Amino acid sequence: MKNIYKLAILGYWHVHANDYASQADGHEGTEITAVWDEDVERGRAEAAKRGVPFYENLDQLLASSEIDGVIVVTSTAIHHDVMTRAAKAGKHIFTEKVIALTSNECDDILRTVKQENVILTVSLPRLYEPYTLKAAEIIQSGILGELTLARTRLSHGGAIPAEGSKFGWLPERFFNLKETGGGALTDLGCHPMYLAHLFLGLPSQVSASYGYVTGREVEDNAAVTLRYENGAIAIVEAGFVNKHSPFSFEVHGTEGSLLYSDHDKKLLYRSGSDNQWQEATLPEALPSAFDQWIQHIEDNQTFDANIEAGAALTTLIEASNQSARSGKLVQLDQQGALIK
């Protein structure tokens, strides 16, 4: 690594803020040198823990020539404002998903990033895991035939009340519609959603159904159906009300199927005249999204595949929220844009 990049954390709103801070601490080419937070008290406390300056004014932080990039972990509702300001200040951006709450806001962020020649990377960590890399390889080999169905699921018990935790272990702000734009699907459901997109691409129709098991302002239980022009279907599931539901996915085609579940961490596949399931040998994981961000800054290269996946994710989450609110199918055009 040729340079040491000085980074600022923008917001400790999201539960992954400390995870990203730890990644920066552990990277030989990065150093956290400043903090800003929409919640001044929270931000000041986190900056004090790290022994770095806290900026109450975001523009003052962004004006500092001592800061090369920012890690955006604010409430999702202010992603557009924070990231466009960061880009215009010439700061590279690593952001928690989704990019923004709407495709229009996302497009504006991407235009600004391109105009200002800064490197943007979205945290889509499961794209770089061994099970995903191998599943994509199997799908691309063609041995599953024409793909007909994918099912992707990720859920946890973060909204379930427990002793000493009246509202569950997720912060109550995760259930504030104004700050989040949505609940289990908009947050946790991003992971199974971008995997469904990886496996089958952009659909032509989106239909979503949300549940409110704990009676919050946003959904804590969600299922989304993606429909494709060729008749294929993807089912995306997410929730905050399942204590022991393993992350899993399955992909089926006219000639074969593949299955993965965290309960045994095995990727199984079967094709053609195979008499039994075979366990795939998994490759090494790719570098994390954060590590790839720093490398792309070093190389002055845009992370095109990541940005495309992040933009598609934003569209699909927006379409899902729109469908759940209206109770209707949401249509996407041939370019993958919402038909409004």
Side-chain angles (χ1 to χ4, degrees):
M1 185 63 61
K2 298 176 184 178
N3 300 299
I4 301 296
Y5 295 100
K6 295 181 179 181
L7 308 177
I9 297 181
L10 303 188
Y12 272 82
W13 183 93
H14 202 281
V15 294
H16 289 315
N18 282 312
D19 297 330
Y20 299 138
S22 294
Q23 289 188 56
D25 290 338
H27 195 291
E28 65 178 3
T30 60
E31 177 186 2
I32 294 174
T33 59
V35 171
W36 171 87
D37 198 318
E38 56 200 287
D39 182 322
V40 172
E41 184 176 338
R42 180 177 62 209
R44 198 181 299 280
E46 293 293 343
K49 289 178 188 177
R50 303 192 66 86
V52 299
F54 173 74
Y55 286 78
E56 193 167 333
N57 184 293
L58 177 58
D59 290 326
Q60 288 181 357
L61 180 151
L62 294 175
S64 172
S65 60
E66 294 296 308
I67 295 171
D68 303 302
V70 296
I71 301 172
V72 177
V73 215
T74 66
S75 61
T76 312
I78 65 171
H79 272 198
H80 173 260
D81 177 55
V82 168
M83 282 196 268
T84 52
R85 288 161 72 181
K88 289 175 182 177
K91 310 305 182 187
H92 303 297
I93 303 168
F94 182 82
T95 182
E96 173 66 359
K97 64 354 176 198
V98 288
I99 295 176
L101 289 180
T102 69
S103 51
N104 286 341
E105 286 186 343
C106 178
D107 290 345
D108 191 45
I109 291 169
L110 298 185
R111 278 193 299 269
T112 306
V113 163
K114 186 174 182 179
Q115 289 169 0
E116 303 298 335
N117 193 32
V118 300
I119 306 302
L120 168 69
T121 296
V122 189
S123 181
L124 308 174
R126 293 176 188 266
L127 289 180
Y128 315 116
E129 292 290 342
Y131 47 74
T132 304
L133 300 174
K134 189 62 180 182
E137 178 186 316
I138 292 171
I139 291 168
Q140 290 165 8
S141 76
I143 65 172
L144 302 187
E146 181 182 359
L147 300 186
T148 56
L149 187 140
R151 176 179 175 266
T152 56
R153 176 173 178 79
L154 183 60
S155 187
H156 60 53
I160 300 173
E163 185 177 350
S165 180
K166 180 180 178 182
F167 300 109
W169 58 259
L170 279 174
E172 189 63 15
R173 60 184 178 270
F174 266 55
F175 305 98
N176 182 309
L177 180 60
K178 183 178 179 180
E179 294 182 45
T180 62
L185 196 279
T186 298
D187 181 67
L188 195 64
C190 283
H191 301 291
M193 185 66 81
Y194 63 67
L195 289 178
H197 170 253
L198 174 69
F199 298 148
L200 290 182
L202 281 165
S204 58
Q205 297 178 327
V206 177
S207 176
S209 181
Y210 291 172
Y212 299 80
V213 176
T214 58
R216 307 295 180 73
E217 190 176 19
V218 298
E219 81 282 356
D220 52 25
N221 207 17
V224 181
T225 301
L226 310 178
R227 304 178 186 180
Y228 294 80
E229 291 288 356
N230 67 349
I233 294 172
I235 302 163
V236 178
E237 302 169 354
F240 291 157
V241 287
N242 308 103
K243 285 187 176 180
H244 304 296
S245 175
F247 163 66
S248 62
F249 61 78
E250 54 190 77
V251 182
H252 304 280
T254 55
E255 297 295 327
S257 296
L258 64 80
L259 314 169
Y260 175 82
S261 173
D262 262 356
H263 89 276
D264 61 5
K265 300 190 183 301
K266 293 180 179 179
L267 179 64
L268 304 176
Y269 67 99
R270 185 173 177 178
S271 177
S273 58
D274 291 347
N275 293 322
Q276 59 186 2
W277 291 92
Q278 299 183 56
E279 181 178 351
T281 301
L282 301 184
E284 293 293 320
L286 290 177
S288 71
F290 181 87
D291 289 347
Q292 292 189 61
W293 175 52
I294 299 302
Q295 190 59 56
H296 280 82
I297 294 173
E298 185 80 358
D299 297 338
N300 192 29
Q301 293 181 344
T302 58
F303 197 174
D304 292 335
N306 174 274
I307 292 173
E308 290 168 8
L313 172 63
T314 298
T315 297
L316 292 170
I317 295 298
E318 180 187 16
S320 299
N321 287 335
Q322 190 178 112
S323 173
R325 285 194 300 267
S326 68
K328 299 178 181 179
L329 280 171
V330 173
Q331 306 278 347
L332 275 67
D333 65 23
Q334 292 184 342
Q335 284 71 47
L338 269 68
I339 299 175
K340 300 179 180 179

